[in-house]
Amino acid sequence: MSQTSPRNNAKGNTKRRASAAEAAAPAPASRAGRPRVRHQELADAPALQADAEAGDDIITRIYNTVFDSVMSQRLAPGTKLPEAALCELFGVGRTVVQKALQKLAHEHIVELRPNRGAVVAMPTPEETREIFEARRALEAAIMRLAVKNATRADLAKLRRQLKEEHEVMHSYAQTSWARLASSFHMRVAELARNPTLQRYLGELVSRCSLIVALHEPAGYASCEHEEHTRIVDLIERGDERGAVAAMEAHLVTLEEHIHLVSAKSGNNLARMLGME
């Protein structure tokens, strides 16, 4: 009987351990350290990217349709937005509709109620008071910084904004006016050079825009435009105290025009969304 030497036996054990390690090791990695992608995965990548982009497009479309319908007062406060009905109207699945509604809820345009679905937001008088109170305090701080930091280029942008407002305010397009009015305040916030204040103001402006669109009677656009013009004039003069006082008066007037009376909406969701 042949006898294996200790040296040969050690070599055999080493080979067996190496084979076992190779079997357990992951697939070879690319130079970037990632597993190699199969040819089919590479072929599928463009299609998957296209699907993702198409999903983003339809989510944006649903968001804009609901947003515009709320701002133009076709969708009244408290109007139900059933997922099943939205799926049928837009020809999509529930996941897509839910993502659009979540985006609208994040901006306080709709409310998502457990086991009751989504409805157009309906701020209470107390919530309205608190929102405007917080906004006045925040915009006063922003205005002081804006007066200190504004450059000629900044003021030129604001003047262009005012020109666009003037062109739109007589078109009776509530949605366009609401967006421009909100955009003016966000442009002023940019001048403060404080991204944190700007982010907080963005949330408050979104909530105020909803309240104004739903509850402010028509006919105040020209007044608001004149107030915006006065604010820019004061910033340009470097009049910090005057600019703060003008913004405070502007927001107080805006709140005074709010009449929290919910209009009754019809029961045809497609018509309220402007899809008929």
Side-chain angles (χ1 to χ4, degrees):
M1 179 179 294
S2 61
Q3 187 173 4
T4 304
S5 67
R7 183 176 181 180
N8 289 338
N9 190 43
K11 287 182 177 180
N13 290 337
T14 301
K15 289 181 179 180
R16 285 192 292 272
R17 285 195 296 270
S19 297
E22 289 174 359
S30 65
R31 292 182 181 179
R34 296 178 180 175
R36 290 178 180 172
V37 180
R38 298 186 182 186
H39 292 297
Q40 185 59 46
E41 291 174 338
L42 286 171
D44 290 345
L48 292 172
Q49 179 66 24
D51 288 346
E53 290 175 356
D56 290 341
D57 287 345
I58 189 61
I59 290 170
T60 300
R61 183 185 165 206
I62 296 171
Y63 169 90
N64 286 337
T65 301
V66 175
F67 180 91
D68 290 349
S69 299
V70 170
M71 293 301 170
S72 61
Q73 300 183 350
R74 289 195 301 270
L75 282 174
T79 301
K80 294 181 180 180
L81 300 171
E83 287 184 11
L86 292 171
C87 289
E88 184 177 351
L89 286 171
F90 290 95
V92 295
R94 284 184 178 272
T95 300
V96 173
V97 167
Q98 287 169 355
K99 288 182 178 179
L101 291 175
Q102 287 167 0
K103 184 177 179 182
L104 288 159
H106 179 71
E107 297 186 9
H108 305 279
I109 303 300
V110 305
E111 296 176 3
L112 300 180
R113 300 177 177 179
N115 303 318
R116 296 174 60 187
V119 299
V120 177
M122 188 163 49
T124 65
E126 182 63 19
E127 287 172 333
T128 298
R129 185 191 64 76
E130 291 174 357
I131 290 167
F132 274 93
E133 184 177 66
R135 183 172 172 180
R136 288 196 302 274
L138 187 61
E139 292 219 47
I142 287 173
M143 187 58 65
R144 293 186 184 94
L145 293 172
V147 171
K148 291 177 181 179
N149 297 324
T151 65
R152 289 184 178 179
D154 293 329
L155 291 167
K157 287 182 181 179
L158 284 176
R159 294 293 182 191
R160 287 195 292 271
Q161 169 87 21
L162 293 175
K163 182 179 178 181
E164 190 175 356
E165 278 186 11
H166 187 268
E167 293 171 353
V168 169
M169 71 180 185
H170 296 298
S171 69
Y172 305 103
Q174 178 68 17
T175 303
S176 299
W177 169 253
R179 284 177 170 162
L180 276 173
S182 299
S183 177
F184 171 81
H185 288 267
M186 295 309 300
R187 282 189 182 275
V188 171
E190 290 176 10
L191 275 56
R193 309 290 193 265
N194 188 314
T196 301
L197 289 176
Q198 189 175 339
R199 185 171 65 252
Y200 290 151
L201 181 63
E203 178 179 342
L204 289 174
V205 165
S206 177
R207 300 185 72 175
C208 285
S209 295
L210 170 67
I211 295 169
V212 170
L214 293 175
H215 302 292
E216 183 187 56
Y220 290 104
S222 60
C223 297
E224 292 180 13
H225 175 74
E226 291 172 4
E227 291 165 9
H228 287 177
T229 301
R230 174 167 171 73
I231 289 168
V232 175
D233 289 342
L234 291 165
I235 294 174
E236 191 168 29
R237 293 177 202 162
D239 185 348
E240 178 183 316
R241 181 177 298 180
V244 170
M247 180 62 79
E248 170 82 10
H250 170 54
L251 295 175
V252 167
T253 300
L254 187 63
E255 184 178 5
E256 288 175 346
H257 289 162
I258 301 300
H259 298 288
L260 295 177
V261 179
S262 299
K264 294 182 179 180
S265 63
N267 57 7
N268 188 321
L269 185 59
R271 185 177 302 116
M272 288 187 286
L273 289 171
M275 299 177 68
E276 276 193 356

